[in-house]
Amino acid sequence: MHSSRSSPPPVPGTVHVGDLEVRVRVSERRRTVRLTVERDAAVTATVPPGTGEADLVKIVKSRRRWLYGKLAERRELGEGRPPRVFVTGEGFPYLGRSHRLLLVDEAPAPVRLVRGRLELLRDSVPDASTEMVRWYTRRGRTWLPRRIEPWAERMRATVTELRVLPLGYRWGSCTIQGRVNVHWATMQLPPALVDYVLVHELAHLTRPDHGDGFWALVERSMPDYAARREHLRRLGPDLWLPS
Protein backbone atom coordinates (compact mmCIF):
# COMPACT_ATOMS: atom_id res chain seq x y z
CA MET A 1 0.00 0.00 0.00
CA HIS A 2 1.33 3.43 -0.91
CA SER A 3 1.41 6.16 1.72
CA SER A 4 -1.05 9.02 1.17
CA ARG A 5 1.73 11.45 1.98
CA SER A 6 4.01 12.45 -0.87
CA SER A 7 7.19 14.46 -0.85
CA PRO A 8 6.95 18.00 -2.20
CA PRO A 9 7.97 18.52 -5.81
CA PRO A 10 11.59 19.63 -6.18
CA VAL A 11 12.09 23.34 -6.05
CA PRO A 12 12.88 24.80 -9.52
CA GLY A 13 16.04 26.70 -10.39
CA THR A 14 14.27 30.05 -10.17
CA VAL A 15 11.30 31.02 -8.00
CA HIS A 16 9.28 34.21 -8.37
CA VAL A 17 7.73 35.75 -5.26
CA GLY A 18 5.89 38.89 -6.26
CA ASP A 19 8.47 41.05 -8.01
CA LEU A 20 11.38 39.12 -6.48
CA GLU A 21 13.25 36.62 -8.63
CA VAL A 22 15.06 34.11 -6.45
CA ARG A 23 17.82 31.87 -7.82
CA VAL A 24 17.84 28.49 -6.07
CA ARG A 25 20.87 26.37 -5.21
CA VAL A 26 20.50 22.97 -3.53
CA SER A 27 23.22 22.09 -1.03
CA GLU A 28 23.69 18.83 0.84
CA ARG A 29 25.33 20.87 3.62
CA ARG A 30 22.28 22.99 4.33
CA ARG A 31 19.76 22.09 6.99
CA THR A 32 17.80 25.33 6.65
CA VAL A 33 17.15 27.82 3.87
CA ARG A 34 19.69 30.64 3.52
CA LEU A 35 18.78 33.80 1.62
CA THR A 36 21.58 35.93 0.21
CA VAL A 37 21.58 39.18 -1.73
CA GLU A 38 24.56 38.94 -4.06
CA ARG A 39 26.84 41.75 -5.17
CA ASP A 40 24.92 42.00 -8.46
CA ALA A 41 21.66 42.55 -6.49
CA ALA A 42 20.45 39.04 -7.32
CA VAL A 43 18.65 37.07 -4.61
CA THR A 44 19.91 33.53 -4.02
CA ALA A 45 18.30 30.85 -1.87
CA THR A 46 20.56 28.00 -0.77
CA VAL A 47 18.25 25.17 0.27
CA PRO A 48 18.60 21.64 1.66
CA PRO A 49 17.61 18.74 -0.59
CA GLY A 50 13.88 18.06 -0.66
CA THR A 51 12.82 21.66 -0.08
CA GLY A 52 9.43 22.32 -1.64
CA GLU A 53 8.60 25.42 -3.63
CA ALA A 54 5.68 26.34 -1.35
CA ASP A 55 7.92 26.23 1.72
CA LEU A 56 10.55 28.38 0.03
CA VAL A 57 7.97 30.95 -1.07
CA LYS A 58 6.70 31.19 2.51
CA ILE A 59 10.22 31.82 3.83
CA VAL A 60 10.94 34.44 1.18
CA LYS A 61 7.70 36.25 2.01
CA SER A 62 8.56 36.27 5.70
CA ARG A 63 11.89 37.98 4.95
CA ARG A 64 10.67 40.27 2.22
CA ARG A 65 11.30 43.48 4.16
CA TRP A 66 14.90 42.47 4.88
CA LEU A 67 15.44 41.50 1.24
CA TYR A 68 14.11 44.81 -0.07
CA GLY A 69 16.42 46.68 2.30
CA LYS A 70 19.45 44.71 1.15
CA LEU A 71 18.50 45.12 -2.49
CA ALA A 72 18.28 48.88 -2.03
CA GLU A 73 21.79 48.90 -0.55
CA ARG A 74 23.24 46.77 -3.35
CA ARG A 75 21.65 48.85 -6.10
CA GLU A 76 22.87 52.08 -4.54
CA LEU A 77 26.41 50.78 -4.11
CA GLY A 78 26.45 48.98 -7.43
CA GLU A 79 25.61 52.00 -9.57
CA GLY A 80 28.33 53.82 -11.40
CA ARG A 81 31.00 51.11 -11.45
CA PRO A 82 33.77 53.14 -13.09
CA PRO A 83 34.51 51.89 -16.61
CA ARG A 84 38.14 51.21 -17.40
CA VAL A 85 39.79 51.28 -20.78
CA PHE A 86 43.10 49.73 -21.72
CA VAL A 87 45.09 52.86 -22.47
CA THR A 88 48.23 54.31 -20.94
CA GLY A 89 47.39 56.07 -17.68
CA GLU A 90 44.33 54.01 -16.73
CA GLY A 91 44.41 52.80 -13.13
CA PHE A 92 43.93 49.21 -12.00
CA PRO A 93 44.02 48.19 -8.32
CA TYR A 94 46.35 45.53 -6.96
CA LEU A 95 46.38 44.72 -3.24
CA GLY A 96 44.72 48.03 -2.44
CA ARG A 97 46.96 50.31 -4.51
CA SER A 98 46.11 51.79 -7.88
CA HIS A 99 48.72 51.11 -10.55
CA ARG A 100 48.77 53.05 -13.80
CA LEU A 101 48.71 51.12 -17.04
CA LEU A 102 51.53 51.54 -19.54
CA LEU A 103 51.21 50.16 -23.06
CA VAL A 104 54.53 48.78 -24.29
CA ASP A 105 55.66 47.42 -27.65
CA GLU A 106 57.88 44.68 -26.25
CA ALA A 107 57.63 42.63 -23.05
CA PRO A 108 58.27 39.04 -21.95
CA ALA A 109 54.61 38.66 -20.87
CA PRO A 110 51.28 40.24 -21.88
CA VAL A 111 50.89 41.84 -18.42
CA ARG A 112 53.47 42.46 -15.73
CA LEU A 113 54.06 44.84 -12.82
CA VAL A 114 57.29 46.79 -13.20
CA ARG A 115 58.37 49.50 -10.74
CA GLY A 116 54.80 50.30 -9.80
CA ARG A 117 53.46 50.39 -13.36
CA LEU A 118 51.27 47.73 -14.93
CA GLU A 119 52.73 47.05 -18.34
CA LEU A 120 50.37 45.76 -21.02
CA LEU A 121 51.76 44.54 -24.32
CA ARG A 122 50.21 46.65 -27.05
CA ASP A 123 49.56 43.59 -29.21
CA SER A 124 47.50 42.15 -26.33
CA VAL A 125 45.06 45.06 -26.12
CA PRO A 126 42.33 43.18 -28.08
CA ASP A 127 42.46 40.43 -25.41
CA ALA A 128 43.34 42.75 -22.54
CA SER A 129 40.46 41.69 -20.26
CA THR A 130 41.43 38.04 -20.53
CA GLU A 131 45.11 38.79 -19.98
CA MET A 132 44.39 40.97 -16.94
CA VAL A 133 42.27 38.24 -15.35
CA ARG A 134 45.07 35.75 -15.99
CA TRP A 135 47.57 38.10 -14.39
CA TYR A 136 45.46 38.62 -11.25
CA THR A 137 44.88 34.85 -11.09
CA ARG A 138 48.60 34.05 -11.31
CA ARG A 139 49.35 36.62 -8.61
CA GLY A 140 46.68 35.12 -6.40
CA ARG A 141 48.01 31.59 -6.80
CA THR A 142 51.39 32.76 -5.55
CA TRP A 143 50.34 35.24 -2.86
CA LEU A 144 47.22 33.72 -1.31
CA PRO A 145 48.59 30.36 -0.09
CA ARG A 146 51.21 32.15 2.00
CA ARG A 147 48.60 34.58 3.27
CA ILE A 148 46.09 31.96 4.38
CA GLU A 149 48.59 29.74 6.20
CA PRO A 150 48.87 31.72 9.48
CA TRP A 151 45.11 32.24 9.61
CA ALA A 152 44.51 28.52 9.11
CA GLU A 153 46.94 27.74 11.94
CA ARG A 154 45.24 30.26 14.23
CA MET A 155 41.79 28.83 13.47
CA ARG A 156 42.98 25.21 13.52
CA ALA A 157 41.56 24.72 10.05
CA THR A 158 42.93 22.28 7.51
CA VAL A 159 43.14 23.61 3.96
CA THR A 160 43.69 20.81 1.47
CA GLU A 161 43.80 23.08 -1.58
CA LEU A 162 43.46 26.76 -2.42
CA ARG A 163 42.20 27.67 -5.87
CA VAL A 164 41.89 31.08 -7.53
CA LEU A 165 38.86 31.15 -9.80
CA PRO A 166 36.17 33.36 -11.30
CA LEU A 167 33.38 32.98 -8.76
CA GLY A 168 30.76 35.31 -10.18
CA TYR A 169 29.53 37.51 -7.35
CA ARG A 170 31.05 35.57 -4.47
CA TRP A 171 34.37 36.47 -2.90
CA GLY A 172 35.03 32.90 -1.90
CA SER A 173 33.67 29.43 -1.33
CA CYS A 174 34.82 26.21 0.28
CA THR A 175 34.07 22.50 0.45
CA ILE A 176 33.78 20.09 3.34
CA GLN A 177 36.94 18.41 2.02
CA GLY A 178 38.94 21.53 2.96
CA ARG A 179 39.25 23.12 -0.46
CA VAL A 180 39.10 26.92 -0.39
CA ASN A 181 38.21 28.85 -3.56
CA VAL A 182 38.95 32.56 -3.82
CA HIS A 183 37.80 34.96 -6.52
CA TRP A 184 40.70 36.36 -8.54
CA ALA A 185 39.23 39.86 -8.01
CA THR A 186 40.21 39.71 -4.33
CA MET A 187 43.73 40.51 -5.50
CA GLN A 188 42.51 44.06 -6.07
CA LEU A 189 41.59 44.46 -2.39
CA PRO A 190 43.79 45.80 0.41
CA PRO A 191 45.47 42.92 2.26
CA ALA A 192 43.34 43.49 5.37
CA LEU A 193 40.20 42.84 3.34
CA VAL A 194 41.72 39.82 1.61
CA ASP A 195 42.34 38.50 5.13
CA TYR A 196 38.65 38.96 5.95
CA VAL A 197 37.67 36.92 2.88
CA LEU A 198 40.09 34.17 3.90
CA VAL A 199 38.94 34.08 7.53
CA HIS A 200 35.32 34.00 6.38
CA GLU A 201 35.95 30.92 4.25
CA LEU A 202 38.10 29.22 6.88
CA ALA A 203 35.26 29.61 9.37
CA HIS A 204 32.93 27.96 6.87
CA LEU A 205 35.08 24.84 6.90
CA THR A 206 33.59 24.06 10.32
CA ARG A 207 30.50 26.28 10.30
CA PRO A 208 28.70 26.00 6.94
CA ASP A 209 25.95 28.49 7.80
CA HIS A 210 25.99 32.12 8.94
CA GLY A 211 24.59 31.45 12.37
CA ASP A 212 25.78 32.87 15.68
CA GLY A 213 28.43 30.17 16.01
CA PHE A 214 29.92 31.10 12.66
CA TRP A 215 30.24 34.81 13.48
CA ALA A 216 31.60 34.01 16.94
CA LEU A 217 34.36 31.97 15.30
CA VAL A 218 35.15 34.79 12.88
CA GLU A 219 35.23 37.33 15.72
CA ARG A 220 37.57 35.21 17.84
CA SER A 221 40.05 35.15 14.98
CA MET A 222 39.46 38.69 13.75
CA PRO A 223 37.91 40.97 16.41
CA ASP A 224 37.47 43.87 13.96
CA TYR A 225 35.79 41.74 11.30
CA ALA A 226 32.64 43.91 11.25
CA ALA A 227 34.61 47.00 10.22
CA ARG A 228 36.43 45.03 7.55
CA ARG A 229 33.18 43.55 6.26
CA GLU A 230 31.65 47.02 5.97
CA HIS A 231 34.73 48.33 4.18
CA LEU A 232 34.54 45.40 1.75
CA ARG A 233 30.85 46.04 1.14
CA ARG A 234 31.57 49.63 0.16
CA LEU A 235 34.73 48.99 -1.80
CA GLY A 236 33.52 45.99 -3.80
CA PRO A 237 31.52 47.87 -6.44
CA ASP A 238 34.55 50.02 -7.30
CA LEU A 239 36.72 47.08 -8.34
CA TRP A 240 37.34 46.16 -11.94
CA LEU A 241 35.49 43.23 -13.45
CA PRO A 242 35.37 42.41 -17.16
CA SER A 243 32.24 43.72 -18.83
Side-chain angles (χ1 to χ4, degrees):
M1 177 179 291
H2 295 288
S3 170
S4 60
R5 297 184 62 186
S6 60
S7 59
V11 64
T14 303
V15 171
H16 290 85
V17 182
D19 60 346
L20 291 173
E21 180 177 292
V22 182
R23 299 185 303 205
V24 180
R25 298 190 185 120
V26 179
S27 171
E28 297 284 346
R29 300 175 62 190
R30 295 298 306 171
R31 296 293 178 265
T32 59
V33 172
R34 183 180 76 183
L35 295 175
T36 308
V37 178
E38 309 288 355
R39 286 163 53 207
D40 63 344
V43 179
T44 299
T46 307
V47 305
T51 301
E53 182 175 359
D55 290 334
L56 177 58
V57 168
K58 183 177 179 180
I59 292 170
V60 171
K61 285 182 176 179
S62 72
R63 304 206 61 193
R64 196 153 39 187
R65 178 174 295 183
W66 177 84
L67 287 169
Y68 282 135
K70 289 295 182 183
L71 284 168
E73 291 177 7
R74 290 292 189 271
R75 286 171 182 145
E76 178 182 351
L77 291 168
E79 290 178 357
R81 181 185 291 275
R84 289 184 172 90
V85 291
F86 297 98
V87 299
T88 292
E90 182 66 279
F92 285 84
Y94 173 64
L95 291 179
R97 295 182 58 189
S98 179
H99 295 272
R100 296 297 176 185
L101 200 64
L102 177 65
L103 298 188
V104 295
D105 294 320
E106 295 182 2
V111 180
R112 63 177 188 159
L113 185 62
V114 181
R115 294 186 294 274
R117 296 293 294 267
L118 265 177
E119 290 187 354
L120 173 65
L121 192 62
R122 200 179 303 274
D123 289 347
S124 298
V125 168
D127 299 314
S129 290
T130 298
E131 296 296 351
M132 288 293 291
V133 171
R134 287 174 177 166
W135 182 80
Y136 280 118
T137 301
R138 288 194 300 269
R139 286 280 172 149
R141 288 172 178 165
T142 300
W143 192 85
L144 288 168
R146 297 195 302 266
R147 194 74 180 187
I148 201 173
E149 186 175 345
W151 290 109
E153 290 179 1
R154 181 181 304 182
M155 300 173 71
R156 298 180 181 178
T158 300
V159 178
T160 58
E161 184 181 7
L162 188 149
R163 300 190 300 177
V164 184
L165 302 168
L167 293 176
Y169 292 92
R170 293 178 296 166
W171 290 113
S173 66
C174 64
T175 70
I176 57 175
Q177 292 80 23
R179 176 185 296 148
V180 174
N181 303 315
V182 181
H183 198 310
W184 60 263
T186 59
M187 295 306 294
Q188 300 179 57
L189 297 170
L193 300 189
V194 179
D195 286 344
Y196 169 73
V197 173
L198 297 177
V199 168
H200 189 107
E201 295 309 321
L202 288 170
H204 273 317
L205 292 177
T206 54
R207 296 280 185 169
D209 58 16
H210 284 98
D212 292 343
F214 168 82
W215 291 114
L217 177 57
V218 172
E219 186 173 24
R220 281 198 301 272
S221 305
M222 183 176 282
D224 65 341
Y225 83 90
R228 300 194 200 203
R229 181 176 60 179
E230 177 64 16
H231 188 187
L232 177 61
R233 185 179 72 87
R234 295 192 175 278
L235 183 60
D238 291 331
L239 302 183
W240 174 73
L241 291 174
S243 57

